[in-house]
Amino acid sequence: MDLWITEYQTKNQKISCRVKETLHIEKSKYQEIVLVDTDEYGRMLLLDGAIQTTVKDEFVYHEMISHVPLFTHPNPKKVAVIGGGDGGTIREILKHKSVDKAFLVEIDQRVVELSKSFLPEISAALGDERAKVCIEDGIEFVKNQKNEFDVIMVDSTDPVGPAVGLFAKDFYRSIHDALGEDGIFVAQTESPFFNKELISSVFRDIKSVFPIARLYLCFVPTYPGGLWSFTIGSKKYDPMDVQEVITDGMGCKYYSREVHKAAFVLPPFVKELLE
Ligand code: AG3
């Protein structure tokens, strides 16, 4: 049998992976959730047809969304992830000994449940006693917090469907207020090849809300274009000036002190999007 799964990354470009086994397909209250086992990337989670994470390449994204802000903050204790129901970001956060509480705020309970069943390598940390899973709308959650968090990470899907509000200026304002006086916020901000306008407008908005705004890059083979961006809004600490980075014993496969620094070096075509 020749079974393939395809994501339309744009109207004119697709990525396909050979499927070893179809594990689960369902329509939840919010989206279509698909789990397949692929020959090239191992188990893979798709939401509304978009590849979210695979066992083989998830480490890049999860290490980069979490360790960059967490090593920028000198003593992160209370952290929240908005979205990220697969648990990969929480797993990386909990590698930081300073963290005593990590909230996962995911709107779709089924993403959490299915990740627990089918992606144990990614989701296992959700069972840690320092992790608290809240099934609710991230926008509402953040609105109700004031001066509470050291770091907030927005681990969202693409800016369509349930995630649209997570790319809005009002949301960045509520995040600003939910953070402590030296808090840091990071959001996944899509592909510099295919989402140029989004990157520009998100950067502008974050810059208007936070004194420090920075964009950094990493490489994720299964995401559109491969090159992927994150944007940081910070009240006090500049992630480009990071000093202490000690990753001993954390088992990082992509993140390191050198990669942290290098990730902020932007090619001119990306820099241009921020002007
Ligand atoms: N969230 C970002 C996925 C975006 C990928 N887009 C796409 N394939 N079109 C990843 C969630 C991992 N915790």
Side-chain angles (χ1 to χ4, degrees), residues 157-183:
T157 52
D158 297 335
V160 281
V164 173
L166 303 180
F167 291 83
K169 191 165 171 178
D170 280 348
F171 181 55
Y172 303 145
R173 283 204 198 93
S174 340
I175 287 185
H176 177 279
D177 297 345
L179 286 166
E181 55 170 25
D182 60 354

Side-chain angles (χ1 to χ4, degrees), residues 7-9 15 45 47 49-53 58 61-62 65 83-89 122 154-158 188 190 222-224 228:
E7 170 180 347
Y8 280 78
Q9 296 186 322
I15 178 174
L45 167 70
L47 297 177
I51 299 175
Q52 298 301 312
T53 198
E58 57 90 7
Y61 176 97
H62 290 131
I65 196 172
D86 52 75
T89 302
I122 302 176
V154 180
D155 182 4
S156 73
T157 52
D158 297 335
Q188 78 84 4
E190 307 280 311
T222 53
Y223 288 173
W228 207 251

Side-chain angles (χ1 to χ4, degrees), residues 53-196:
T53 198
T54 81
V55 165
K56 189 166 174 178
D57 73 355
E58 57 90 7
F59 68 93
V60 180
Y61 176 97
H62 290 131
E63 288 180 18
M64 288 302 278
I65 196 172
S66 46
H67 300 318
V68 172
L70 288 171
F71 277 113
T72 299
H73 195 290
N75 188 26
K77 288 197 169 101
K78 196 170 174 187
V79 180
V81 179
I82 311 301
D86 52 75
T89 302
I90 293 286
R91 180 195 65 207
E92 294 305 313
I93 293 169
L94 294 180
K95 290 180 179 175
H96 290 253
K97 297 212 171 66
S98 65
V99 172
D100 48 48
K101 200 94 220 152
F103 289 77
L104 180 85
V105 187
E106 165 64 56
I107 198 166
D108 193 341
Q109 179 162 16
R110 291 300 290 152
V111 173
V112 175
E113 289 167 352
L114 292 166
S115 299
K116 281 186 176 166
S117 313
F118 293 105
L119 304 170
E121 319 68 349
I122 302 176
S123 62
L126 292 176
D128 190 288
E129 54 178 23
R130 291 182 292 156
K132 175 150 177 50
V133 178
C134 308
I135 302 300
E136 63 175 285
D137 181 350
I139 297 174
E140 289 306 312
F141 177 91
V142 170
K143 258 191 214 158
N144 296 325
Q145 310 288 328
K146 297 283 174 252
N147 206 4
E148 273 298 319
F149 290 94
D150 300 308
V151 179
I152 296 177
M153 300 166 186
V154 180
D155 182 4
S156 73
T157 52
D158 297 335
V160 281
V164 173
L166 303 180
F167 291 83
K169 191 165 171 178
D170 280 348
F171 181 55
Y172 303 145
R173 283 204 198 93
S174 340
I175 287 185
H176 177 279
D177 297 345
L179 286 166
E181 55 170 25
D182 60 354
I184 304 179
F185 146 65
V186 65
Q188 78 84 4
T189 45
E190 307 280 311
S191 154
F193 275 93
F194 300 120
N195 308 90
K196 288 188 193 302

